[in-house]
Amino acid sequence: MVQRLDILKETPSQTAGPYVHIGATPNAIDIAGVWQTDLGSVMLTAETTGERIVVKGRVIDGAGRPLTDALVEIWQADAAGLYNSPQEPRGTADRHFVGWGRQAVDRDTGEFCFATIKPGSVPFGDGRLMAPHITVWIVARGINIGLHTRLYFGDEAVANAGDPVLLRIEDRSRIATLVAPKDLSTDPPTYRFDIHLQGPQETVFFDI
Amino acid sequence: MTQEGSYYQRDRAWHPPAFTPQYKTSVLRSPQRPLLSLENTLSELTGPVFGHGRLGPLDNDLITNYAHGGEAIGQRLVVHGRVLDENGRGLPGVLVEFWQANAGGRYRHHKEGYRAALDPNFGGCGRYITDPDGGYHFRTIKPGAYPWPNRVNDWRPAHIHFSVFGHAFAQRLVTQMYFEGDPMIWQCPIVATIPDRRAIEQLIAALDRNNTTPMDSLAYKFDIVLRGRRSTFFENRPEGN
């Protein structure tokens, strides 16, 4: 026998199920009055610093159908590349930008839509800069444990080419699944980020 | 004081795998390629702070927070516990959100197809931000079991859904709580996505007889464990390594 390490086990995940919106975004599904606004539904105020952008997309299953019951969360740095978090050691982020957003996908089209700002760059562990990116997390019925991925920006080709995380993807053709093309025809510009759960275009998901 | 490093890697054998054909919806929604392993960077080590000021006084009272002239019908319960990390430390300031069916097993949702009656005084959602010791509690009614479209006649055991937001995005977790002694736990295809029986038992809240409220509520205790963080005893490198 040896001494015990006394480490607990993480609580196992279970699917968020088809009714995750009751808990996360009740106002979006007509459960009004429990609380006034759903957390994460608005990311910007007039005082937020940074280039306004819109991120739109869908979560698509192995048969090519968009999920209409998914919940998508995003987490990102501010325009200067600082996270609004006590774990951020490098400085104080824009106090007008939390950097976290949460949306129920549209119950008919499956589309999610975040009005946010373009984040600055954040360093990798070894000090190299990562390309600007947004962390994306998806739960839904049929997803047994939340899926982590990242959105990179289509107009950051140089930064993306040197990104230490993207460089780790052996199958280079899969990098495109993480890069959202920029659509300048809208104001503010829209980055389109469709997430494919399976199939030839399966998005790269991370074990973080 | 030691610095803290990355989070302990997730034990993927303790969690359900993505592809679990007995739970049919997972078949077309499960990634088939291996996940790309990524050591924690600042993007995963950080997370938003939810201030207590964001919450209302009834946010953790599902018996009254959707009241339309009465109280929710059902077996009155207090559910309480602590949010801990794998090192056994209580985690303060954690956003815990919960949602559930009503006493008949019916959800207030446009996709719900079960014939049990809606309760006009029950919305089914609540939330809490953990106390300095990681504690949380809420008042609700016991949810009913309900049928769901999977195999021809599958039923879910009574359960409460939980979403837990720790101090870092790496700790993000969604799970479900079950009730001690419920035989339906062991015939549920969603529960059975978890391969290890001990892991399933970690999701079963104990009847907490000592904390029942006389002439008012039963109590169940449900602790939640989020990932723990490594101590970087001899390292002097920037966080994110």
Side-chain angles (χ1 to χ4, degrees):
Chain A
M1 291 291 283
V2 297
Q3 294 185 13
R4 291 162 52 89
L5 280 172
D6 283 335
I7 294 296
L8 303 176
K9 294 297 288 184
E10 186 188 12
T11 298
S13 172
Q14 289 268 264
T15 179
Y19 307 123
V20 58
H21 309 121
I22 295 174
T25 59
N27 289 291
I29 56 154
D30 312 322
I31 300 179
V34 180
W35 45 77
Q36 203 157 24
T37 53
D38 297 333
L39 290 173
S41 57
V42 177
M43 297 181 69
L44 301 178
T45 71
E47 282 83 19
T48 304
T49 301
E51 178 196 349
R52 266 57 180 169
I53 62 168
V54 171
V55 172
K56 272 189 184 175
R58 296 168 300 164
V59 184
I60 297 165
D61 74 10
R65 290 174 309 208
L67 275 57
T68 55
D69 51 15
L71 181 81
V72 180
E73 290 184 2
I74 65 173
W75 170 241
Q76 63 169 98
D78 71 4
L82 292 169
Y83 283 104
N84 195 338
S85 166
Q87 315 297 328
E88 169 60 84
R90 298 169 299 148
T92 304
D94 180 357
R95 63 191 178 92
H96 299 293
F97 186 64
V98 173
W100 176 71
R102 175 155 76 180
Q103 297 280 332
V105 301
D106 185 273
R107 67 175 80 167
D108 299 314
T109 65
E111 191 160 81
F112 58 84
C113 178
F114 293 95
T116 183
I117 52 143
K118 193 169 175 186
S121 297
V122 176
F124 195 58
D126 61 9
R128 280 181 291 170
L129 276 188
M130 295 188 281
H133 63 272
I134 295 177
T135 293
V136 181
W137 181 80
I138 305 118
V139 290
R141 174 174 70 103
I143 295 177
N144 289 328
I145 180 165
L147 298 171
H148 283 267
T149 187
R150 282 185 177 188
L151 177 156
Y152 285 86
F153 294 89
D155 55 343
E156 295 282 351
V158 174
N160 291 344
D163 181 83
V165 175
L166 294 180
L167 282 170
R168 194 169 289 181
I169 301 173
E170 279 190 317
D171 179 349
R172 310 301 293 163
S173 69
R174 299 194 70 206
I175 292 174
T177 68
L178 302 184
V179 180
K182 185 179 192 177
D183 178 358
L184 280 165
S185 70
T186 62
D187 181 26
T190 301
Y191 291 89
R192 180 96 217 164
F193 191 60
D194 282 341
I195 297 156
H196 293 266
L197 299 176
Q198 290 181 356
Q201 300 178 78
E202 181 179 313
T203 298
V204 175
F205 297 104
F206 295 99
D207 187 12
I208 60 171
Chain B
M1 189 180 149
T2 56
Q3 271 194 326
E4 288 188 305
S6 56
Y7 283 88
Y8 301 153
Q9 75 174 2
R10 215 160 218 166
D11 181 355
R12 295 269 168 184
W14 193 251
H15 290 284
F19 178 74
T20 48
Q22 76 273 24
Y23 174 24
K24 292 184 183 182
T25 314
S26 75
V27 171
L28 286 173
R29 297 184 172 196
S30 43
Q32 294 169 330
R33 308 272 200 130
L35 302 177
L36 185 70
S37 300
L38 174 60
E39 65 262 37
N40 295 166
T41 72
L42 274 174
S43 303
E44 292 77 36
L45 291 169
T46 53
V49 172
F50 300 97
H52 288 85
R54 307 279 300 265
L55 268 53
L58 297 181
D59 281 9
N60 67 331
D61 186 354
L62 280 68
I63 291 180
T64 60
N65 72 12
Y66 192 77
H68 288 69
E71 292 193 337
I73 290 173
Q75 169 75 65
R76 296 162 67 86
L77 301 182
V78 169
V79 177
H80 73 105
R82 290 173 76 207
V83 178
L84 309 158
D85 69 11
E86 288 171 291
N87 298 314
R89 289 182 298 203
L91 296 178
V94 171
L95 174 68
V96 183
E97 298 167 300
F98 18 90
W99 65 99
Q100 63 169 85
N102 70 20
R106 166 100 178 226
Y107 286 92
R108 185 172 288 282
H109 194 278
H110 54 275
K111 286 209 169 149
E112 170 66 275
Y114 176 37
R115 64 180 294 174
L118 274 172
D119 179 344
N121 293 306
F122 189 72
C125 57
R127 56 191 185 178
Y128 195 85
I129 292 173
T130 57
D131 301 327
D133 66 349
Y136 75 90
H137 61 276
F138 60 98
R139 195 161 77 135
T140 187
I141 49 88
K142 187 172 184 186
Y146 61 86
W148 61 295
N150 187 54
R151 292 175 302 194
V152 174
N153 187 17
D154 273 326
W155 288 68
R156 296 294 332 273
H159 64 276
I160 300 177
H161 295 265
F162 280 76
S163 163
V164 191
F165 216 125
H167 296 171
F169 223 82
Q171 292 180 308
R172 196 78 181 84
L173 182 74
V174 166
T175 191
Q176 300 181 29
M177 179 199 109
Y178 303 98
F179 292 88
E180 178 183 355
D182 185 349
M184 296 182 68
I185 294 169
W186 306 104
Q187 47 83 66
C188 173
I190 287 178
V191 173
T193 61
I194 299 175
D196 190 320
R197 186 184 173 99
R198 294 166 303 166
I200 293 172
E201 288 169 346
Q202 200 177 349
L203 298 181
I204 303 176
L207 174 66
D208 181 5
R209 194 67 181 76
N210 288 337
N211 278 304
T212 55
T213 314
M215 302 305 285
D216 185 336
S217 302
L218 283 178
Y220 282 86
K221 182 166 183 288
F222 184 59
D223 287 340
I224 299 165
V225 180
L226 301 183
R227 291 168 71 184
R229 229 177 145 174
R230 195 163 60 86
S231 304
T232 53
F233 298 112
F234 287 106
E235 290 166 274
N236 188 23
R237 291 186 288 181
E239 289 213 0
N241 277 328

